[in-house]
Amino acid sequence: VQLVESGGGLVQAGGSLRLSCEASGFRLDDDAVIWFRQTPGQERQDISCSTNHNGIANYVDSVKGRFIVSSDNAKNTVYLQMNDLKPEDSGRYVCASRLYGVCHGSTWSSTVNVFGRTVWGQGTQVTVSS
């Protein structure tokens, strides 16, 4: 089982990127998928949490109105559309998926279904130049 992210790159401020998180070896249908950003020297920033089976998509305040999560069941893939990118959006974007996970804000609940099968991706680098 694995998650593979793609779609990162270098973009100018104001530009857009679409990240993909493709699952293999398991289905995303009943999972809660999160995206988070890692930047050296900073704490992990939780970006979004979504569940395909009930249409939940939560975002951290800093990306609301700019980032949109979507999914393609046929491709077993979740996407993160990032618009109006800013230099502070730069970092390594990682997706992770938890079976029967529950979203709590832009990440998983720390009290409900925490022991579900969890798969982590390796991440894709996003760099936004000013």
Side-chain angles (χ1 to χ4, degrees):
V1 295
Q2 63 176 348
L3 288 171
V4 177
E5 301 94 332
S6 61
L10 173 64
V11 64
Q12 287 188 333
S16 298
L17 286 172
R18 189 179 78 158
L19 307 184
S20 299
C21 172
E22 181 178 6
S24 59
F26 70 103
R27 295 288 307 173
L28 290 171
D29 299 14
D30 295 316
D31 282 33
V33 177
I34 64 170
W35 286 94
F36 61 91
R37 180 173 65 229
Q38 294 177 315
T39 308
Q42 298 185 20
E43 288 188 5
R44 174 181 127 178
Q45 171 80 71
D46 294 312
I47 301 298
S48 71
C49 181
S50 61
T51 52
N52 197 35
H53 59 274
N54 60 5
I56 287 176
N58 299 332
Y59 306 91
V60 68
D61 285 347
S62 61
V63 308
K64 284 180 180 177
R66 300 189 297 124
F67 290 12
I68 301 171
V69 172
S70 63
S71 63
D72 185 328
N73 290 341
K75 295 182 178 180
N76 207 24
T77 299
V78 171
Y79 303 97
L80 181 66
Q81 177 68 43
M82 306 189 297
N83 300 320
D84 190 22
L85 282 161
K86 304 175 181 181
E88 54 264 39
D89 294 323
S90 297
R92 188 165 190 82
Y93 283 72
V94 181
C95 68
S97 185
R98 175 169 291 169
L99 181 63
Y100 303 130
V102 174
C103 291
H104 179 75
S106 58
T107 191
W108 295 314
S109 169
S110 60
T111 58
V112 181
N113 292 350
V114 299
F115 298 113
R117 180 266 297 135
T118 302
V119 183
W120 303 84
Q122 294 297 310
T124 184
Q125 183 67 35
V126 171
T127 303
V128 184
S129 63
S130 58

